């Protein structure tokens, strides 16, 4: 059986569930180079995520593929692994290994695109396995979109402070 036959077979199977996915895309006002400097610091989330008080390295080398961070706040705790980073294309991908948000198999990619006029666009794509913590895919996407929109707003605030 070739790969395409296996894929077709799995896609037709009721035991294989579709992953939930979505994205947030937003034009930013801050200089893209400052936003990238902030966002690509895998341990720097406390600078732009209000709900996180601490973000510490628990495995690997800071900002290197494979490093693991533990982010904590009053209502949140996530253990996340950096799985890819591309400074040339200003993007990185991470997974959530453990969390108290009910996320299962979560993976996200952050990308900052610099436009020809010097402005920037942030695109944050995410996906996860279906979870009973969220009543539906729509509720999951709504929750994650709202959360990531707050993160992007926080990046803009932090970048504005860096410019001063």
């Amino acid at each position: 059986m070739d790969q395409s036959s296996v894929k077709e077979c799995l896609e037709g199977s009721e035991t294989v569930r579709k992953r939930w996915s979505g994205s947030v895309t937003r034009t930013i006002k801050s200089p893209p180079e400052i936003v990238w400097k902030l966002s690509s610091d895998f341990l720097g989330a406390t600078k732009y995520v209000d709900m996180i008080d601490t973000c510490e390295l628990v495995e690997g080398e800071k900002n290197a593929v494979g490093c693991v961070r533990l982010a904590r706040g009053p209502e949140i705790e996530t253990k996340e692994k950096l799985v890819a980073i591309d400074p040339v294309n200003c993007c990185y991908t991470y997974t959530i290994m453990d969390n108290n948000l009910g996320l299962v198999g979560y993976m996200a990619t952050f990308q900052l695109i610099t436009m020809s006029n010097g402005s920037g666009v942030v695109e944050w794509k995410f996906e996860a396995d279906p979870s009973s913590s969220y009543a539906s895919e729509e509720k999951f996407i709504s929750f994650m979109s709202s959360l990531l929109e707050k993160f992007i707003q926080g990046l803009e605030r932090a970048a504005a402070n860096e410019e001063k």
Side-chain angles (χ1 to χ4, degrees):
M1 191 180 266
D2 66 11
Q3 289 288 21
S4 62
S5 298
V6 171
K7 184 178 178 191
E8 287 172 17
C9 181
L10 288 174
E11 287 174 351
S13 169
E14 289 185 29
T15 60
V16 176
R17 298 192 309 182
K18 178 182 170 273
R19 289 177 55 84
W20 292 347
S21 62
S23 66
V24 174
T25 302
R26 186 165 185 270
T27 301
I28 55 169
K29 298 175 188 117
S30 301
E33 59 277 1
I34 295 175
V35 173
W36 175 247
K37 178 183 161 199
L38 289 164
S39 64
S40 64
D41 178 4
F42 200 58
L43 300 180
T46 56
K47 295 175 185 170
Y48 62 91
V49 180
D50 293 338
M51 63 179 55
I52 295 175
D53 296 329
T54 63
C55 189
E56 61 191 60
L57 182 68
V58 294
E59 188 178 310
E61 185 181 323
K62 180 182 177 184
N63 296 332
V65 171
C67 75
V68 177
R69 69 182 176 190
L70 180 61
R72 291 185 176 138
E75 298 178 16
I76 187 173
E77 184 169 313
T78 65
K79 188 175 181 183
E80 303 171 350
K81 183 176 187 174
L82 183 63
V83 296
I85 188 164
D86 180 351
V88 173
N89 292 303
C90 297
C91 66
Y92 62 88
T93 299
Y94 63 98
T95 61
I96 294 183
M97 302 166 63
D98 193 19
N99 68 93
N100 65 347
L101 300 172
L103 299 171
V104 179
Y106 181 88
M107 179 177 280
T109 298
F110 173 97
Q111 182 165 21
L112 176 63
I113 302 159
T114 301
M115 308 305 283
S116 59
N117 66 2
S119 68
V121 174
V122 169
E123 182 177 51
W124 213 317
K125 297 179 183 178
F126 57 89
E127 65 178 46
D129 294 330
S131 169
S132 60
S133 299
Y134 302 91
S136 68
E137 182 175 7
E138 293 76 27
K139 289 190 182 202
F140 164 74
I141 291 170
S142 176
F143 170 78
M144 288 309 306
S145 295
S146 174
L147 192 63
L148 295 177
E149 180 66 37
K150 289 177 186 172
F151 292 178
I152 294 168
Q153 290 170 359
L155 273 170
E156 283 202 294
R157 278 193 308 276
N161 289 337
E162 291 274 322
E163 284 183 278
K164 293 179 183 177

